[in-house]
mmCIF file of all heavy atoms in Angstrom:
data_model
loop_
_atom_site.group_PDB
_atom_site.id
_atom_site.type_symbol
_atom_site.label_atom_id
_atom_site.label_comp_id
_atom_site.label_asym_id
_atom_site.label_seq_id
_atom_site.Cartn_x
_atom_site.Cartn_y
_atom_site.Cartn_z
ATOM 1 N N LYS A 5 -58.675 -156.644 173.649
ATOM 2 C CA LYS A 5 -57.457 -156.589 172.843
ATOM 3 C C LYS A 5 -56.498 -157.678 173.313
ATOM 4 O O LYS A 5 -56.244 -157.835 174.488
ATOM 5 C CB LYS A 5 -56.802 -155.222 172.957
ATOM 6 C CG LYS A 5 -55.668 -155.050 171.968
ATOM 7 C CD LYS A 5 -55.312 -153.586 171.782
ATOM 8 C CE LYS A 5 -54.051 -153.451 170.950
ATOM 9 N NZ LYS A 5 -54.237 -153.958 169.572
ATOM 10 N N LYS A 17 -43.100 -169.507 175.715
ATOM 11 C CA LYS A 17 -44.551 -169.329 175.724
ATOM 12 C C LYS A 17 -45.155 -170.188 174.623
ATOM 13 O O LYS A 17 -44.675 -170.208 173.496
ATOM 14 C CB LYS A 17 -44.886 -167.855 175.487
ATOM 15 C CG LYS A 17 -46.349 -167.561 175.682
ATOM 16 C CD LYS A 17 -46.600 -166.070 175.830
ATOM 17 C CE LYS A 17 -48.093 -165.831 175.979
ATOM 18 N NZ LYS A 17 -48.400 -164.397 176.008
ATOM 19 N N ASP A 34 -63.265 -191.065 180.800
ATOM 20 C CA ASP A 34 -63.721 -191.088 182.197
ATOM 21 C C ASP A 34 -63.856 -189.686 182.793
ATOM 22 O O ASP A 34 -64.517 -189.518 183.824
ATOM 23 C CB ASP A 34 -62.774 -191.942 183.055
ATOM 24 C CG ASP A 34 -62.835 -193.400 182.646
ATOM 25 O OD1 ASP A 34 -63.886 -193.826 182.115
ATOM 26 O OD2 ASP A 34 -61.831 -194.113 182.839
ATOM 27 N N ALA A 64 -75.316 -185.012 146.790
ATOM 28 C CA ALA A 64 -74.401 -186.116 147.098
ATOM 29 C C ALA A 64 -74.096 -186.949 145.855
ATOM 30 O O ALA A 64 -72.957 -187.377 145.646
ATOM 31 C CB ALA A 64 -75.008 -186.999 148.191
ATOM 32 N N LYS A 65 -75.105 -187.153 145.046
ATOM 33 C CA LYS A 65 -74.893 -188.029 143.884
ATOM 34 C C LYS A 65 -73.894 -187.451 142.893
ATOM 35 O O LYS A 65 -73.165 -188.186 142.235
ATOM 36 C CB LYS A 65 -76.229 -188.296 143.194
ATOM 37 C CG LYS A 65 -77.160 -189.207 143.997
ATOM 38 C CD LYS A 65 -78.493 -189.352 143.268
ATOM 39 C CE LYS A 65 -79.438 -190.280 144.019
ATOM 40 N NZ LYS A 65 -80.792 -190.239 143.414
ATOM 41 N N LYS A 69 -69.899 -188.691 140.936
ATOM 42 C CA LYS A 69 -69.620 -188.752 139.497
ATOM 43 C C LYS A 69 -68.228 -188.237 139.139
ATOM 44 O O LYS A 69 -67.784 -188.396 138.014
ATOM 45 C CB LYS A 69 -70.646 -187.901 138.739
ATOM 46 C CG LYS A 69 -72.055 -188.434 138.785
ATOM 47 C CD LYS A 69 -72.969 -187.546 137.932
ATOM 48 C CE LYS A 69 -74.427 -187.972 138.072
ATOM 49 N NZ LYS A 69 -75.328 -187.051 137.342
ATOM 50 N N PHE A 73 -63.424 -190.387 142.499
ATOM 51 C CA PHE A 73 -64.127 -190.545 143.767
ATOM 52 C C PHE A 73 -64.412 -192.011 144.022
ATOM 53 O O PHE A 73 -65.013 -192.710 143.207
ATOM 54 C CB PHE A 73 -65.452 -189.769 143.798
ATOM 55 C CG PHE A 73 -66.172 -189.992 145.100
ATOM 56 C CD1 PHE A 73 -65.853 -189.232 146.209
ATOM 57 C CD2 PHE A 73 -67.096 -191.019 145.243
ATOM 58 C CE1 PHE A 73 -66.459 -189.469 147.430
ATOM 59 C CE2 PHE A 73 -67.706 -191.267 146.463
ATOM 60 C CZ PHE A 73 -67.391 -190.491 147.556
ATOM 61 N N SER A 77 -60.245 -198.013 147.090
ATOM 62 C CA SER A 77 -60.962 -198.831 148.060
ATOM 63 C C SER A 77 -60.561 -198.414 149.466
ATOM 64 O O SER A 77 -59.573 -197.717 149.674
ATOM 65 C CB SER A 77 -60.649 -200.302 147.839
ATOM 66 O OG SER A 77 -59.270 -200.497 148.004
ATOM 67 N N ASP A 106 -80.172 -179.375 155.394
ATOM 68 C CA ASP A 106 -80.170 -178.413 156.505
ATOM 69 C C ASP A 106 -81.072 -178.889 157.647
ATOM 70 O O ASP A 106 -81.733 -178.091 158.319
ATOM 71 C CB ASP A 106 -80.662 -177.047 156.022
ATOM 72 C CG ASP A 106 -79.595 -175.970 156.198
ATOM 73 O OD1 ASP A 106 -78.978 -175.949 157.264
ATOM 74 O OD2 ASP A 106 -79.400 -175.180 155.269
ATOM 75 N N MET A 110 -77.866 -177.596 165.441
ATOM 76 C CA MET A 110 -77.320 -176.238 165.504
ATOM 77 C C MET A 110 -76.653 -176.019 166.853
ATOM 78 O O MET A 110 -77.106 -176.552 167.859
ATOM 79 C CB MET A 110 -78.468 -175.227 165.423
ATOM 80 C CG MET A 110 -78.988 -174.920 164.055
ATOM 81 S SD MET A 110 -77.843 -173.894 163.100
ATOM 82 C CE MET A 110 -77.657 -172.461 164.186
ATOM 83 N N ASP A 139 -64.504 -194.203 172.471
ATOM 84 C CA ASP A 139 -63.563 -193.345 171.747
ATOM 85 C C ASP A 139 -64.312 -192.383 170.829
ATOM 86 O O ASP A 139 -63.934 -191.216 170.679
ATOM 87 C CB ASP A 139 -62.594 -194.191 170.897
ATOM 88 C CG ASP A 139 -61.554 -194.901 171.740
ATOM 89 O OD1 ASP A 139 -61.340 -194.484 172.892
ATOM 90 O OD2 ASP A 139 -60.963 -195.872 171.235
ATOM 91 N N ARG A 156 -66.236 -168.972 170.437
ATOM 92 C CA ARG A 156 -66.386 -167.953 171.484
ATOM 93 C C ARG A 156 -65.380 -166.829 171.303
ATOM 94 O O ARG A 156 -65.644 -165.683 171.652
ATOM 95 C CB ARG A 156 -66.178 -168.575 172.871
ATOM 96 C CG ARG A 156 -67.296 -169.515 173.276
ATOM 97 C CD ARG A 156 -67.032 -170.078 174.675
ATOM 98 N NE ARG A 156 -67.983 -171.149 174.965
ATOM 99 C CZ ARG A 156 -68.348 -171.510 176.188
ATOM 100 N NH1 ARG A 156 -67.829 -170.901 177.237
ATOM 101 N NH2 ARG A 156 -69.214 -172.489 176.367
ATOM 102 N N ALA A 201 -55.728 -174.197 159.350
ATOM 103 C CA ALA A 201 -55.931 -172.745 159.187
ATOM 104 C C ALA A 201 -55.769 -172.329 157.732
ATOM 105 O O ALA A 201 -56.376 -171.355 157.285
ATOM 106 C CB ALA A 201 -54.959 -171.974 160.071
ATOM 107 N N LYS A 285 -86.357 -181.014 164.955
ATOM 108 C CA LYS A 285 -87.394 -182.054 164.965
ATOM 109 C C LYS A 285 -88.148 -182.089 163.647
ATOM 110 O O LYS A 285 -88.520 -183.164 163.171
ATOM 111 C CB LYS A 285 -88.350 -181.762 166.119
ATOM 112 C CG LYS A 285 -89.398 -182.812 166.356
ATOM 113 C CD LYS A 285 -90.200 -182.442 167.600
ATOM 114 C CE LYS A 285 -91.532 -183.155 167.633
ATOM 115 N NZ LYS A 285 -92.378 -182.644 168.722
ATOM 116 N N ASN A 330 -95.584 -167.800 153.255
ATOM 117 C CA ASN A 330 -95.867 -168.430 151.953
ATOM 118 C C ASN A 330 -97.226 -169.103 152.014
ATOM 119 O O ASN A 330 -97.343 -170.284 152.339
ATOM 120 C CB ASN A 330 -94.790 -169.481 151.628
ATOM 121 C CG ASN A 330 -93.571 -168.872 150.973
ATOM 122 O OD1 ASN A 330 -93.677 -168.208 149.943
ATOM 123 N ND2 ASN A 330 -92.414 -169.095 151.570
ATOM 124 N N PRO A 333 -97.768 -172.550 148.980
ATOM 125 C CA PRO A 333 -96.513 -173.111 148.445
ATOM 126 C C PRO A 333 -96.778 -174.139 147.350
ATOM 127 O O PRO A 333 -97.709 -174.916 147.431
ATOM 128 C CB PRO A 333 -95.873 -173.772 149.664
ATOM 129 C CG PRO A 333 -97.019 -174.114 150.554
ATOM 130 C CD PRO A 333 -98.032 -173.020 150.352
ATOM 131 N N HIS A 394 -88.211 -166.481 169.480
ATOM 132 C CA HIS A 394 -88.725 -167.740 168.951
ATOM 133 C C HIS A 394 -90.146 -168.046 169.393
ATOM 134 O O HIS A 394 -90.640 -169.147 169.196
ATOM 135 C CB HIS A 394 -87.794 -168.892 169.342
ATOM 136 C CG HIS A 394 -86.380 -168.596 168.982
ATOM 137 N ND1 HIS A 394 -85.975 -168.437 167.690
ATOM 138 C CD2 HIS A 394 -85.292 -168.377 169.752
ATOM 139 C CE1 HIS A 394 -84.680 -168.151 167.666
ATOM 140 N NE2 HIS A 394 -84.245 -168.100 168.911
ATOM 141 N N GLU A 406 -116.125 -170.202 168.678
ATOM 142 C CA GLU A 406 -115.179 -170.469 169.764
ATOM 143 C C GLU A 406 -113.737 -170.288 169.270
ATOM 144 O O GLU A 406 -113.411 -170.623 168.131
ATOM 145 C CB GLU A 406 -115.387 -171.901 170.262
ATOM 146 C CG GLU A 406 -114.603 -172.229 171.522
ATOM 147 C CD GLU A 406 -114.666 -173.732 171.870
ATOM 148 O OE1 GLU A 406 -115.519 -174.441 171.271
ATOM 149 O OE2 GLU A 406 -113.861 -174.171 172.691
ATOM 150 N N ASP A 426 -86.734 -189.941 173.161
ATOM 151 C CA ASP A 426 -86.286 -191.106 172.390
ATOM 152 C C ASP A 426 -87.277 -191.437 171.283
ATOM 153 O O ASP A 426 -86.897 -191.831 170.173
ATOM 154 C CB ASP A 426 -86.118 -192.317 173.317
ATOM 155 C CG ASP A 426 -84.853 -192.197 174.157
ATOM 156 O OD1 ASP A 426 -84.042 -191.280 173.899
ATOM 157 O OD2 ASP A 426 -84.680 -193.020 175.071
ATOM 158 N N PHE A 433 -85.403 -190.513 162.863
ATOM 159 C CA PHE A 433 -84.427 -191.456 162.310
ATOM 160 C C PHE A 433 -85.076 -192.356 161.264
ATOM 161 O O PHE A 433 -84.535 -192.550 160.169
ATOM 162 C CB PHE A 433 -83.842 -192.303 163.450
ATOM 163 C CG PHE A 433 -82.635 -193.106 163.041
ATOM 164 C CD1 PHE A 433 -81.377 -192.528 163.038
ATOM 165 C CD2 PHE A 433 -82.755 -194.447 162.663
ATOM 166 C CE1 PHE A 433 -80.264 -193.269 162.663
ATOM 167 C CE2 PHE A 433 -81.637 -195.183 162.288
ATOM 168 C CZ PHE A 433 -80.387 -194.592 162.291
ATOM 169 N N ARG A 439 -85.544 -193.791 153.143
ATOM 170 C CA ARG A 439 -85.376 -193.533 151.728
ATOM 171 C C ARG A 439 -84.103 -194.155 151.160
ATOM 172 O O ARG A 439 -83.922 -194.198 149.942
ATOM 173 C CB ARG A 439 -85.321 -192.022 151.473
ATOM 174 C CG ARG A 439 -86.652 -191.380 151.595
ATOM 175 C CD ARG A 439 -86.571 -189.936 152.043
ATOM 176 N NE ARG A 439 -87.810 -189.566 152.714
ATOM 177 C CZ ARG A 439 -88.907 -189.189 152.074
ATOM 178 N NH1 ARG A 439 -88.920 -189.084 150.778
ATOM 179 N NH2 ARG A 439 -90.002 -188.929 152.744
ATOM 180 N N PRO A 472 -78.753 -200.561 151.357
ATOM 181 C CA PRO A 472 -79.615 -199.504 150.841
ATOM 182 C C PRO A 472 -80.917 -200.057 150.272
ATOM 183 O O PRO A 472 -80.958 -201.162 149.737
ATOM 184 C CB PRO A 472 -78.778 -198.863 149.738
ATOM 185 C CG PRO A 472 -77.830 -199.916 149.317
ATOM 186 C CD PRO A 472 -77.557 -200.766 150.513
ATOM 187 N N THR A 473 -81.964 -199.260 150.435
ATOM 188 C CA THR A 473 -83.223 -199.616 149.805
ATOM 189 C C THR A 473 -83.111 -199.392 148.310
ATOM 190 O O THR A 473 -82.333 -198.588 147.844
ATOM 191 C CB THR A 473 -84.368 -198.769 150.376
ATOM 192 O OG1 THR A 473 -85.540 -199.016 149.613
ATOM 193 C CG2 THR A 473 -84.059 -197.288 150.278
#
Side-chain angles (χ1 to χ4, degrees):
Chain A
K5 189 162 172 64
K17 188 164 178 185
D34 294 334
K65 289 177 179 171
K69 293 183 186 175
F73 178 84
S77 60
D106 241 316
M110 279 287 303
D139 286 341
R156 290 181 190 205
K285 186 175 160 189
N330 275 304
H394 308 296
E406 188 189 347
D426 285 351
F433 192 84
R439 286 151 206 277
T473 172

